Structures are given as structure tokens and as C-alpha cells.
Amino acid sequence: MKNVKNMQKKARSPVIFPDGTRKFNTATSVIPGFGLSIGVTVTMLSFIVLIPLLSMFWSNSDLTLADFFATITRRRVLMSFAVSLETALIASLINMVMGLVMAWVLVRYEFPGKRLLDGMIELPFALPTVVAGMALTSLTTDNGLIGGFLERIGIGAPAYTRAGIVIAMIFVGIPFVVRSIQPVLEKVDRRAEEAAFIMGAGPACIFWRVIFPEIRPAMLVGFGLAFARSLGEYGSVVFIAGNQPYKTEIAPLLIMSELQEYDYASATAIALVMLIIAFFTLFVMNLIQSRAARRAGER
């Protein structure tokens, strides 16, 4: 941080020419003009994010406060919220653990096919969610490869249950956790690990005392991203969920059902609650990032 501040001071310091004239050094300015840059940023943010979200609030202006709460507190709506939150939380916790393991393997080991495996992590980003839902459903039904095996051993096929929803959410959320932890894990100072080992610390102690404090903010950020992504997932979940009201019906599916019935007021009210939950999740995630960056700067 001190080096950055020194560079900033140097960039602002004037250059004195032989004739006595003074000119400020602007060579470090890549994008000309703060005013122009912030104007473009706010404009693009408004068109892409703010205006569409504000239109949702505008759509709910026709509802009174009593009607709004009556809509979002219906038993079917509350159960859809519960299913979405429960499955997203379970999937994100699993992703946080498995994402750490996958990031650890990709960073700490060299093996044939590592680049291929590293590229496959991002496959859920590029794969259409509908295709992912169809593939997961075919695998997890009682006639599928995984579902048939689980059915034969007495566990039961996960398709059309909440377990199937969790599987779909794990699939779409795992890249967020891996890509959040991987760059931080690459920057962990190996010398601190070696020093702890020389002082007699075991592998478990080194991980919890040296490595884990460094990657904990990244793990929490990955968890938040995976949770927000799972909470709003529709395409891959709608096929595998079974869509049974009060059992496996998620909130995004209920919103689509309300739209198909031309009940736009109820759909926008439910969507507004989902928007508030997602915003709160992302706000907490950004707060964790800012605190982690502040602590890193103080070291």
C-alpha cells in the first residue's frame, strides 16, 4: 500500500522543465477524465441494472402494503421461499467445501489433464441451464445411471425431490466457489507454511492457522455468489424438481406460474422479495470483500 501511495504522489507531482515551466505528470492516466469515465459507468449501470430493477418497484406501486404482505405470506408462497432458501443454503455449503478441495487440487498438484480439468470447471457457465437440467434429470431418475443405482440400494432416486434440486444447484454454483478461492490460494506465501513446518506444526495445524485465515474471505465470497446464483436458478431446476406445490416448488417457478395466470401483481411481489434477498446477500459479500482488502492493506 505504501508503494501505491508513493506512486500516486509521484504521478501528481509536477515536472519542472529547464525553462522553469511546471507540468503535472498524467502518463499514468489510462482512461482520460474521471468525469467522462464515471458518466459512462453510471449510464451503463442505469440501463443494465437500475432501470430494470426500479421498474419492478414501479410495478408493485399498484399494490397496497396490506395486499403486498397478503400476497407474499400465502402458504404456497412461503413454502416456495422455504424450498428455495433451504436447497440453496445446502447446495452452497456443499459447494464451499468441495470448491475448496477442487481449488486445492488445481493449485497445489501437477498431473496429466490438469488444464482440461481446469477448463471444465467453467462448463456450467457456458452450458445452457435447460440442457443441464435435462442431463441431470436423465441421470437421477429411477431409470438413470445414478438414480437407478441409488434405487437398487434402497436410497431412492433423487429426481423430483429436494435432493434433486440441491444437485442442480451444486452444478450451477460450484464454479463460483472454485474461481473465488483459486487465485487467493495461488498467492498464499509458501514460506509461512515452511516456517510453521520447521517449528513443528503438523499439516492440520498449518492449514487452520496459516492457510485458512488467508482463504476464508474468498470462501465466504464464493459461498455468497453460489447462494445468490442458486437462489435465482430456474432452467436447470425446473426439470429435476418435479414442481410439486408445498414440496418441491421453488420461488422462480412460482413466479412463472403467476405470470402464466396473468397475475402480474403477485408475480412482481414475489420477485421483489427475491430481489431483496439477493441484494442483501451480495451486500454482505461485498462487505466481507472490503474488510478483507482493508486487512490486507494494513499488513
Side-chain angles (χ1 to χ4, degrees):
M1 291 295 293
K2 293 182 179 179
N3 293 334
V4 173
K5 291 181 180 179
N6 292 334
M7 292 175 64
Q8 291 175 347
K9 291 180 180 179
K10 185 177 179 181
R12 292 193 297 266
S13 60
V15 178
I16 302 176
F17 292 90
D19 58 354
T21 58
R22 299 160 62 92
K23 183 177 180 181
F24 283 89
N25 183 13
T26 58
T28 57
S29 180
V30 179
I31 301 177
F34 172 77
L36 178 61
S37 303
I38 193 65
V40 172
T41 301
V42 173
T43 301
M44 293 300 297
L45 184 64
S46 299
F47 278 108
I48 296 174
V49 180
L50 296 181
I51 292 178
L53 295 184
L54 288 175
S55 67
M56 187 177 299
F57 285 92
W58 180 263
S59 300
N60 279 277
S61 62
D62 296 335
L63 288 175
T64 63
L65 191 61
D67 293 336
F68 175 79
F69 280 104
T71 300
I72 64 174
T73 55
R74 296 201 312 255
R75 181 170 177 264
R76 183 178 178 183
V77 176
L78 291 176
M79 286 302 300
S80 68
F81 288 150
V83 172
S84 295
L85 291 171
E86 176 188 343
T87 52
L89 180 61
I90 295 173
S92 300
L93 289 173
I94 295 174
N95 276 334
M96 187 169 62
V97 176
M98 298 306 299
L100 173 60
V101 175
M102 296 172 69
W104 184 276
V105 171
L106 291 173
V107 172
R108 294 300 179 101
Y109 300 104
E110 294 292 336
F111 53 90
K114 177 180 176 178
R115 291 184 180 274
L116 178 62
L117 181 61
D118 194 15
M120 289 178 63
I121 297 296
E122 298 175 351
L123 185 61
F125 285 150
L127 191 66
T129 55
V130 175
V131 177
M134 294 174 61
L136 292 173
T137 304
S138 63
L139 284 173
T140 55
T141 57
D142 52 3
N143 295 325
L145 181 63
I146 299 175
F149 172 75
L150 296 176
E151 191 74 25
R152 287 193 296 272
I153 63 177
I155 296 179
Y160 314 128
T161 65
R162 294 191 184 187
I165 300 176
V166 171
I167 292 173
M169 290 181 175
I170 290 173
F171 177 81
V172 299
I174 191 66
F176 293 95
V177 183
V178 176
R179 293 309 186 216
S180 297
I181 298 175
Q182 188 175 357
V184 179
L185 191 59
E186 289 175 348
K187 295 180 181 180
V188 172
D189 191 359
R190 297 288 187 92
R191 292 174 297 181
E193 299 179 43
E194 295 173 357
F197 179 76
I198 293 173
M199 295 175 66
C205 181
I206 293 174
F207 176 80
W208 290 110
R209 295 295 183 89
V210 178
I211 301 174
F212 184 73
E214 297 290 334
I215 64 175
R216 180 173 53 196
M219 290 180 63
L220 294 176
V221 169
F223 170 83
L225 290 173
F227 180 79
R229 179 69 178 87
S230 300
L231 198 62
E233 179 59 23
Y234 174 78
S236 61
V237 175
V238 68
F239 287 94
I240 199 172
N243 311 324
Q244 303 176 39
Y246 310 105
K247 293 183 179 180
T248 60
E249 186 179 48
I250 59 174
L253 178 62
L254 182 58
I255 293 173
M256 291 299 300
S257 299
E258 298 290 352
L259 290 175
Q260 290 174 355
E261 296 174 2
Y262 302 101
D263 190 356
Y264 298 111
S266 297
T268 52
I270 299 170
L272 182 59
V273 175
M274 297 293 291
L275 173 62
I276 293 172
I277 295 173
F279 177 81
F280 178 76
T281 302
L282 296 176
F283 174 78
V284 173
M285 180 193 67
N286 289 330
L287 186 63
I288 293 172
Q289 282 183 314
S290 63
R291 287 186 176 181
R294 192 181 304 116
R295 290 177 182 176
E298 292 174 354
R299 295 177 181 176

